[in-house]
Structures are given as structure tokens and as C-alpha cells.
Amino acid sequence: MADTNSSLSPSPDTRSSASPKRDDLRPMGIKIAELNESQSELLNRLQGLKQDLQDWKSKLDTQVKTYKEELIELKKVLNTDLDQLKSDFQELRTTLQQQQDDISDSLRNLGLEDLSEPSKEPEDKDNANASNKAEPSLPEITEETSPVDASA
């Protein structure tokens, strides 16, 4: 075994002059190479993470933009529907007012003015309640029992 060690190890003259520096440099060189490789791997990994983050941010921005557009469209549809409902209710209110006026005119033509006048005064004070009534003049009509009472 001594022969194998002597054949592998350099002569004492060579070892004393060049070997200690080479032995010290060789592990340092290996360590530097490992550090450089590790640094490269970390930089590549960092670049990959940066790219993933940019992709994620881009996708998120796209989703936010899409959701905003959808909300704007829904708001437009909602406002259109609301305007339509307002118009429909105004038309209904006008129709009900016209029907009430027609009924009042019919009652006047029949000579029942006194019965229809008291029902109009509360209606003017609280127009909302009158517009919600589907049959505003029915109680006056049902109270009518004889033409003599109505003309008095």
C-alpha cells in the first residue's frame, strides 16, 4: 500500500513548492464553480417566478377588466329596466286617473255629484293612496240604494 501512496503522491520537492497552493486552490475552484452554478440556478428560478407573477397579474387584470365590463353592462340593463318600470307605473297612474275621472263624470251625469265629491278631496290630499286603489269609487256606488237618496 505504501507503493500506491508513493506513486500517487508527488515527490516531496514538487509537493512543497506547488502542491499546497494547488490543493488550496482546487477546493476553492470547486466551491466557486458550485456557487456559480447555484447562483445561476437561483437566478433562473427567480426569473421563472417573476414570469409566473407577471402572467398571474396579467390574468388577474384581464379578469378584473372583464368583470368591470360585465358590471357596467348589467348596470345599463338595470337602469333600462328601471326606466321602463317607471314609465309603466306612470302610464298605469295616468290610466287609473283617467278611469277615476271617467267614473266621476259618469256619476255627475247620473246626478250623484254629492257622493263623488267627498271621495275626491281625500284623494287630492293623499294622491299616493288614491293611485294605489284599483276601485276608488266602488264604495260610493254600492252605498246607493235609491235614486231619491242620491238626488237629495
Side-chain angles (χ1 to χ4, degrees):
M1 290 209 136
D3 291 334
T4 55
N5 283 342
S6 64
S7 64
L8 291 176
S9 60
S11 66
D13 296 329
T14 319
R15 182 193 270 178
S16 62
S17 61
S19 253
K21 289 183 181 178
R22 279 191 183 171
D23 288 341
D24 290 343
L25 292 179
R26 187 172 241 178
M28 289 275 217
I30 293 172
K31 287 180 182 178
I32 289 173
E34 288 174 356
L35 287 174
N36 285 336
E37 185 179 337
S38 176
Q39 182 182 18
S40 295
E41 289 175 6
L42 288 173
L43 287 174
N44 288 338
R45 205 165 149 208
L46 182 62
Q47 289 296 341
L49 289 172
K50 282 182 181 180
Q51 186 63 43
D52 290 347
L53 181 62
Q54 287 176 348
D55 292 345
W56 179 78
K57 185 179 182 269
S58 175
K59 287 178 183 178
L60 187 63
D61 288 343
T62 302
Q63 282 182 330
V64 167
K65 183 179 177 184
T66 302
Y67 290 152
K68 280 183 179 181
E69 290 171 356
E70 287 177 6
L71 284 174
I72 288 170
E73 188 62 32
L74 287 172
K75 186 177 178 183
K76 286 178 184 177
V77 169
L78 182 63
N79 285 334
T80 302
D81 290 349
L82 183 63
D83 290 342
Q84 182 63 42
L85 283 173
K86 285 179 182 179
S87 174
D88 290 349
F89 276 117
Q90 183 61 38
E91 185 179 326
L92 182 61
R93 184 179 292 128
T94 303
T95 302
L96 287 174
Q97 183 65 42
Q98 182 63 43
Q99 287 176 352
Q100 187 175 6
D101 291 345
D102 290 347
I103 290 172
S104 295
D105 290 343
S106 295
L107 289 176
R108 277 191 213 114
N109 289 340
L110 292 172
L112 301 174
E113 295 176 8
D114 296 334
L115 292 176
S116 65
E117 289 301 321
S119 68
K120 271 194 164 185
E121 287 179 42
E123 188 179 308
D124 292 339
K125 291 178 184 175
D126 191 8
N127 199 10
N129 286 338
S131 65
N132 289 336
K133 288 170 111 181
E135 302 171 351
S137 300
L138 285 180
E140 290 85 16
I141 294 172
T142 57
E143 291 177 5
E144 179 184 316
T145 55
S146 67
V148 176
D149 293 334
S151 63

